[in-house]
Amino acid sequence: MSKTNASGRSKAPGGERIADWADGRLGIYKGAKKNLRKVFPDHWSFLLGEIALYSFIIIILTGVYLTMFFKPSMAEVHYHGSYVPMQGVIMSEAYASTLDISFDVRGGLLMRQIHHWAALIFLVAMFVHMMRVFFTGAFRKPRELNWLFGFLLLVLGMFTGFTGYSLPDDLLSGTGVRFMEGAILAVPLVGTYLAMFLYGGEFPGTDIIPRFFTFHVLLLPGIMLGLVVAHLILVFYHKHTQYPGAGRTNNNVVGFPLMPVYMAKAGGFFFLVFGLIAIISATFTINAVWVLGPYRPDLVSTNAQPDWYMGFSEGLIRVMPGWEWVIPTGHTLNFGVLVPLMIFPLVLASIAVYPFFEAWVTKDKREHHLLDRPRNAPTRTAFGAAWISWYFVMLVGGGNDLWAIHFDLSINAITWFVRIGFFVVPVLVFIVTRRICLGLQRRDREKVLHGRETGIIKRLPHGEFVEVHEPLSREQLHYLTQHDQPKPAELPAAVDENGVERKVGRLEKLRVKISQGYFGPSGQIEKPTAEEYKAIQSGHGHH
């Protein structure tokens, strides 16, 4: 029941008065009224990006809790905590505080497990989300910058994860830090100086854990949080891409409003993700540092493996021959580490620059808000599949000892398989994937022209047996033929209208050749035209 003031008029409820007060000073009502009704499309694959976002939020929440109890110090202490097997053992304060979090802090072990599992799921979700964006062409104009933001988030997430699992200073994480030292020392001329600066002296030094702690809880998450905000702002500004279908064009969005439908679904999905990660964390132990013991420079943990996202770099190091050159100045160039150190960022960068490469090939300046079906972009899809196969081949190399043990194989045979597969497997995957896409395009073409096979066999009056085909609906016809098919670029005539020889640069000749490979007869199957469809339906074409 509303109250009245001295003039006899009823007073608005308290919440409404507060909202009026805030709106009078911030002017947010009009903007909120417009933007909260913004429409977003709906598809299950869009949840991949949401899983990455919600995992990132869970990482921050659990990380704040863990930060209150962790001591980022390499000072040596004798352990006297509740974990009996480690009592009296000399260890760093970082490792001792990790044991305390695991066994003495209320809910500490569960928080550690949630934090680590959320980090793994965060990186997996980002990786798969980026592949969804890649295969559907969602990176095209005007979203190239957002693609770079996503790529930087993936790379920063990898290094944030590395610094994070190195903090406990256990034997496994210490092996990873030693691995990094070897990579730094392989940098010509300045490698030793960089290592001394980072570690604060000879390995392991006294500063690496405090510095990693600063990177892990302040620098890298701060940059990532800024990138996440910028990423979401651009998604909101450019509007979300949508899959093709009836009534969907580049100029509209078919979906649900942000408020209340989308926000309600997003809120529920956040708690589903949080709950699932909590169940996994309570059921499956990860990074049980108490089993391995504190790090000692004279020990290396057996079957040491990095988290999956660092497996590529591990594989490169393991399968690269141990080549070295001693140059006349007395310096040693360790190609066994230096070459992988150069290849790793190049492999990542190849996927980052692809949108700009495709834009250069197509010279397409239009905005794209409708997604591609992967089969309708055979060459792009083949490139993406080849890149993924490249990554997984090196993951096999990163775990060559485990493959050898569990499958009773020769570790030398596995190493040589990875060395050869590094060059051969992506090529084979590219060829096979492209042929599969072209085959699916041919099937779509036949389906449009002749309809869907029903499996019903009918005998014609003259004795011929034919299968009855069911015509597609107009919606299905639109779905199978709505995509654009760029024409391959061609070189201009050798001479212009005045008989003067045209000068065409090598770069342009290369672009035309690549364009013909993308969009020529070998790169795509021409979709049926309206004239072909009418000819078939009128009975003048092939049945």
Side-chain angles (χ1 to χ4, degrees):
M1 184 175 180
S2 60
K3 299 179 180 180
T4 59
N5 55 22
S7 62
R9 290 182 294 182
S10 61
K11 297 173 63 178
E16 187 176 334
R17 293 201 304 273
I18 293 174
D20 288 339
W21 181 90
D23 185 57
R25 286 150 183 81
L26 301 175
I28 59 176
Y29 175 73
K30 290 183 179 179
K33 182 179 179 181
K34 175 184 177 182
N35 291 318
L36 291 180
R37 298 297 297 173
K38 194 177 183 70
V39 174
F40 284 84
D42 195 25
H43 191 270
W44 69 265
S45 65
F46 299 156
L47 298 180
L48 297 170
E50 293 188 41
I51 293 173
L53 174 63
Y54 302 152
S55 301
F56 183 65
I57 295 172
I58 294 167
I59 291 169
I60 292 176
L61 294 176
T62 54
V64 170
Y65 184 85
L66 295 173
T67 301
M68 293 188 290
F69 303 100
F70 181 74
K71 297 178 182 178
S73 170
M74 298 183 72
E76 292 187 340
V77 297
H78 286 83
Y79 179 71
H80 297 290
S82 60
Y83 186 61
V84 176
M86 286 290 174
Q87 287 186 357
V89 175
I90 298 176
M91 60 185 64
S92 65
E93 281 192 300
Y95 185 74
S97 66
T98 304
L99 293 180
D100 290 338
I101 291 172
S102 301
F103 297 107
D104 297 308
V105 174
R106 187 178 296 274
L109 180 57
L110 180 61
M111 287 295 175
R112 278 193 62 232
Q113 297 292 291
I114 292 176
H115 190 73
H116 201 138
W117 275 112
L120 291 177
I121 292 173
F122 172 59
L123 282 158
V124 168
M126 276 200 298
F127 184 84
V128 180
H129 172 62
M130 286 192 68
M131 290 300 98
R132 195 278 300 174
V133 171
F134 180 87
F135 287 123
T136 58
F139 54 76
R140 292 171 295 176
K141 183 182 178 180
R143 296 176 180 83
E144 301 97 331
L145 190 60
N146 225 7
W147 170 264
L148 289 181
F149 286 167
F151 170 76
L152 289 174
L153 279 169
L154 179 64
V155 173
L156 290 174
M158 293 168 62
F159 286 101
T160 305
F162 174 75
T163 56
Y165 70 64
S166 299
L167 289 180
D169 199 28
D170 60 292
L171 188 57
L172 179 61
S173 66
T175 303
V177 176
R178 187 69 183 241
F179 177 94
M180 186 187 73
E181 185 220 14
I184 295 173
L185 289 175
V187 178
L189 301 179
V190 298
T192 52
Y193 301 100
L194 290 175
M196 293 288 286
F197 171 76
L198 182 62
Y199 290 93
E202 291 288 343
F203 180 85
T206 58
D207 298 332
I208 189 63
I209 297 299
R211 287 175 178 172
F212 271 14
F213 182 76
T214 303
F215 294 155
H216 185 70
V217 305
L218 182 63
L219 179 62
L220 296 176
I223 298 173
M224 292 175 69
L225 186 60
L227 288 172
V228 167
V229 172
H231 188 78
L232 294 177
I233 289 174
L234 287 180
V235 169
F236 199 86
Y237 175 73
H238 290 141
K239 73 184 180 182
H240 204 291
T241 53
Q242 59 184 346
Y243 283 93
R248 299 175 184 180
T249 69
N250 265 318
N251 301 317
N252 69 355
V253 179
V254 178
F256 299 99
L258 180 63
M259 283 290 290
V261 178
Y262 200 83
M263 288 301 295
K265 293 173 67 175
F269 190 56
F270 169 76
F271 288 108
L272 284 174
V273 172
F274 204 154
L276 183 60
I277 291 177
I279 291 173
I280 295 173
S281 304
T283 309
F284 301 98
T285 301
I286 190 172
N287 199 20
V289 296
W290 54 87
V291 176
L292 301 166
Y295 178 67
R296 285 176 48 184
D298 60 326
L299 297 177
V300 175
S301 58
T302 57
N303 64 13
Q305 301 290 319
D307 284 336
W308 72 271
Y309 48 87
M310 285 296 182
F312 187 91
S313 58
E314 177 89 6
L316 286 170
I317 293 290
R318 290 193 183 194
V319 304
M320 180 67 192
W323 296 337
E324 289 184 354
W325 282 1
V326 179
I327 58 179
T329 59
H331 293 85
T332 300
L333 293 179
N334 186 353
F335 290 103
V337 180
L338 180 61
V339 172
L341 195 65
M342 297 170 62
I343 292 177
F344 183 54
L346 290 177
V347 170
L348 291 175
S350 65
I351 206 73
V353 302
Y354 182 85
F356 304 96
F357 170 76
E358 186 172 300
W360 170 71
V361 172
T362 60
K363 296 294 183 181
D364 188 358
K365 306 296 183 182
R366 300 171 300 163
E367 289 193 359
H368 294 272
H369 303 294
L370 277 180
L371 298 173
D372 286 334
R373 299 174 74 202
R375 67 182 63 182
N376 293 331
T379 304
R380 179 205 298 154
T381 302
F383 272 128
W387 189 91
I388 293 174
S389 70
W390 208 3
Y391 205 97
F392 278 97
V393 164
M394 300 318 297
L395 280 181
V396 173
N400 58 359
D401 54 340
L402 296 182
W403 284 90
I405 292 171
H406 291 293
F407 294 96
D408 195 22
L409 299 172
S410 166
I411 195 168
N412 290 327
I414 296 172
T415 300
W416 275 104
F417 165 78
V418 174
R419 287 175 178 174
I420 298 171
F422 180 82
F423 299 98
V424 175
V425 170
V427 176
L428 294 178
V429 170
F430 177 89
I431 295 171
V432 171
T433 304
R434 198 172 188 226
R435 289 183 64 86
I436 291 174
C437 290
L438 293 174
L440 292 172
Q441 282 189 336
R442 288 189 185 95
R443 190 182 72 172
D444 287 348
R445 176 182 172 86
E446 290 297 314
K447 192 181 293 185
V448 168
L449 293 177
H450 301 288
R452 185 180 64 85
E453 296 178 356
T454 63
I456 300 174
I457 305 300
K458 188 176 181 180
R459 185 177 182 180
L460 299 180
H462 59 275
E464 180 184 1
F465 288 92
V466 296
E467 183 179 13
V468 177
H469 285 221
E470 179 185 351
L472 301 182
S473 65
R474 298 183 66 86
E475 182 178 346
Q476 291 173 317
L477 290 172
H478 170 77
Y479 180 70
L480 295 178
T481 59
Q482 52 74 37
H483 58 282
D484 292 329
Q485 285 196 318
K487 299 297 181 183
E490 295 182 356
L491 290 173
V495 294
D496 60 16
E497 61 276 7
N498 298 317
V500 179
E501 183 181 357
R502 297 181 189 269
K503 292 184 179 180
V504 181
R506 293 182 179 178
L507 197 60
E508 178 62 15
K509 291 180 180 178
L510 176 63
R511 187 190 75 83
V512 170
K513 192 171 183 178
I514 295 174
S515 176
Q516 291 173 350
Y518 263 73
F519 309 115
S522 63
Q524 62 182 3
I525 302 301
E526 188 176 354
K527 65 182 181 180
T529 63
E531 291 74 17
E532 289 177 308
Y533 179 76
K534 290 177 181 177
I536 291 290
Q537 296 303 311
S538 65
H540 299 298
H542 174 70
H543 289 273

